[in-house]
């Protein structure tokens, strides 16, 4: 589930894995920000990176899967923003991003075992420049009680409050640590409500 090979197999099994639309919490939060340098963590097929680039951001899209990055580059080219995005094939657990380099670091639905998650999120926080924003969004544990059929093991779910507690308050201002509902459709085609754990933190200048 967490290896490059597993993700390659997932992407290779179908023409597309994701919807092609940007993640809604990214849209909500990034719309409020002045464009700068962004790191899109686990960029997949590129919807978030393309959306950011279309709005003036200079984006680094990092993913563990070469197949995903190839598709992302194709989408960026079709959208006319290929010159605003750098695609990086990397496992950020082993190749951490540059420190204090980005005005926005966005990690959408990165679910890992607890120790790996905490180590990765600490590296992502370190990559945020002074005055920049850390945006972490995950499936809230409350989803385990819905028919969304979350494939993640319960211990890989987290709340925004848990992530916020790992940040040094002397260096970070927590703008939001929330459980946000949004409409979705479950695997059986039924309309349901799912819940996102949303952390928005600003690195103090």
């Amino acid at each position: 589930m967490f290896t490059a090979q597993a993700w390659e197999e997932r992407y290779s099994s179908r023409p597309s894995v994701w919807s092609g639309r940007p993640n809604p919490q990214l849209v909500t939060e990034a719309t409020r920000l002045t464009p700068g340098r962004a790191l899109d963590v686990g960029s997949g097929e590129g919807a978030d990176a393309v959306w950011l680039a279309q709005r003036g951001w200079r984006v680094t899209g990092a993913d563990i899967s070469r197949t995903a990055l190839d598709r992302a580059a194709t989408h960026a080219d079709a959208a006319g923003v290929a010159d605003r995005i750098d695609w990086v094939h990397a496992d950020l657990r082993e190749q951490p991003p540059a420190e204090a380099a980005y005005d926005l670091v966005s990690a959408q639905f990165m679910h890992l075992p607890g120790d790996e998650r905490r180590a990765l999120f600490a590296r992502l926080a370190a990559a945020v420049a002074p005055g920049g924003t850390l945006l972490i969004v995950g499936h809230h544990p409350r989803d385990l009680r819905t028919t969304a059929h979350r494939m993640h093991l319960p211990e890989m779910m987290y709340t925004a409050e848990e992530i916020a507690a790992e940040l040094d308050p002397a260096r970070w201002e927590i703008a939001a640590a929330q459980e946000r509902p949004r409409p979705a459709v479950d695997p059986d085609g039924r309309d349901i409500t799912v819940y996102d754990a949303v952390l928005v933190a600003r690195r103090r200048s």
Side-chain angles (χ1 to χ4, degrees), residues 155-201:
E155 60 268 25
M156 295 181 200
M157 310 287 266
Y158 52 84
T159 68
E161 291 82 358
E162 290 170 336
I163 306 304
E166 299 291 326
L167 297 175
D168 181 357
R171 300 181 66 188
W172 292 92
E173 174 190 356
I174 305 302
Q178 300 172 336
E179 167 191 333
R180 294 183 185 173
R182 60 180 171 87
V185 178
D186 75 9
D188 298 317
R190 293 172 292 194
D191 292 331
I192 61 171
T193 298
V194 296
Y195 299 86
D196 293 338
V198 182
L199 171 78
V200 185

Side-chain angles (χ1 to χ4, degrees), residues 49-60:
V50 167
W51 184 88
L52 287 166
Q54 288 174 324
R55 282 148 187 84
W57 292 83
R58 179 74 197 189
V59 186
T60 298

Side-chain angles (χ1 to χ4, degrees), residues 37-96:
R37 299 156 299 168
L39 174 63
D40 180 24
V41 181
S43 54
E45 292 160 333
D48 285 0
V50 167
W51 184 88
L52 287 166
Q54 288 174 324
R55 282 148 187 84
W57 292 83
R58 179 74 197 189
V59 186
T60 298
D63 202 276
I64 200 171
S65 166
R66 289 190 183 276
T67 299
L69 291 172
D70 287 345
R71 293 178 185 173
T74 298
H75 295 154
D77 188 59
V81 292
D83 61 335
R84 300 198 62 81
I85 306 175
D86 296 315
W87 303 108
V88 177
H89 179 236
D91 183 342
L92 297 184
R93 293 171 296 181
E94 300 174 358
Q95 301 161 264

